[in-house]
């Protein structure tokens, strides 16, 4: 059963919370206190955010997603242009690094929001 929101905290889409890097309960508070460090508590609704641990999930998702998207593009470009090998390494390395750094925060926020949505009672009531 998918939990639903209440009067104080209407349901926030995990996708929206992930894109905004916002608290998964209220959708307004900041999720991170650093680049990837989850804040101890939401500044708006008081949800204890430190209990959410996404582990390596977001990084693994990005490895597969970026590999699926960037490798075919790199292959097509390498077949159609005469760049030296070092230039391919530099450009595709920079593209992958930039996309990974840009997408890691929203991916982690999305995984935390999914955890909150599906393990809400466990995380709010003290858990195991
Ligand atoms: Zn909140």
């Amino acid at each position: 059963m998918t939990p639903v929101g209440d009067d104080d905290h209407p349901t926030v889409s995990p996708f929206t919370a992930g894109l905004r890097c916002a608290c998964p309960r209220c959708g307004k508070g900041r999720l991170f206190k650093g680049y990837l460090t989850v804040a101890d508590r939401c500044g708006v609704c008081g949800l204890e955010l430190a209990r959410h641990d996404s582990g390596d999930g977001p990084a693994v998702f990005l490895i597969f997603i970026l590999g699926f998207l960037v490798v075919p593009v790199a292959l097509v470009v390498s077949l159609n242009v005469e760049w030296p090998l070092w230039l391919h390494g530099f450009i595709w390395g920079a593209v992958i690094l930039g996309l990974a750094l840009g997408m890691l925060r929203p991916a982690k926020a999305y995984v935390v929001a999914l955890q909150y949505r599906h393990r809400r009672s466990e995380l709010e009531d003290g858990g195991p």
Side-chain angles (χ1 to χ4, degrees):
M1 179 176 127
T2 302
V4 294
D6 53 34
D7 290 341
D8 293 335
H9 307 105
T11 303
V12 176
S13 160
F15 187 73
T16 303
L19 278 181
R20 296 177 61 204
C21 296
C23 167
R25 180 161 71 181
C26 66
K28 295 174 185 163
R30 298 177 64 171
L31 179 63
F32 298 110
K33 65 181 176 186
Y35 177 64
L36 285 176
T37 306
V38 176
D40 297 330
R41 185 172 291 277
C42 174
V44 176
C45 70
L47 176 65
E48 209 175 310
L49 296 167
R51 298 180 57 110
H52 298 271
D53 180 20
S54 61
D56 295 333
V60 172
F61 289 144
L62 285 182
I63 288 169
F64 287 120
I65 292 168
L66 290 178
F68 180 78
L69 294 176
V70 174
V71 169
V73 174
L75 286 173
V76 168
V77 169
S78 71
L79 293 174
N80 292 306
V81 296
E82 299 277 335
W83 290 346
L85 190 56
W86 66 266
L87 187 57
H88 279 285
F90 178 77
I91 287 175
W92 298 116
V95 166
I96 293 248
L97 187 62
L99 288 172
L101 290 176
M103 293 173 69
L104 198 50
R105 268 173 69 100
K108 184 169 183 172
Y110 180 65
V111 171
V112 167
L114 284 177
Q115 279 183 341
Y116 174 75
R117 185 179 189 109
H118 296 288
R119 296 174 53 203
R120 181 178 177 177
S121 59
E122 179 184 325
L123 292 168
E124 284 187 342
D125 297 338

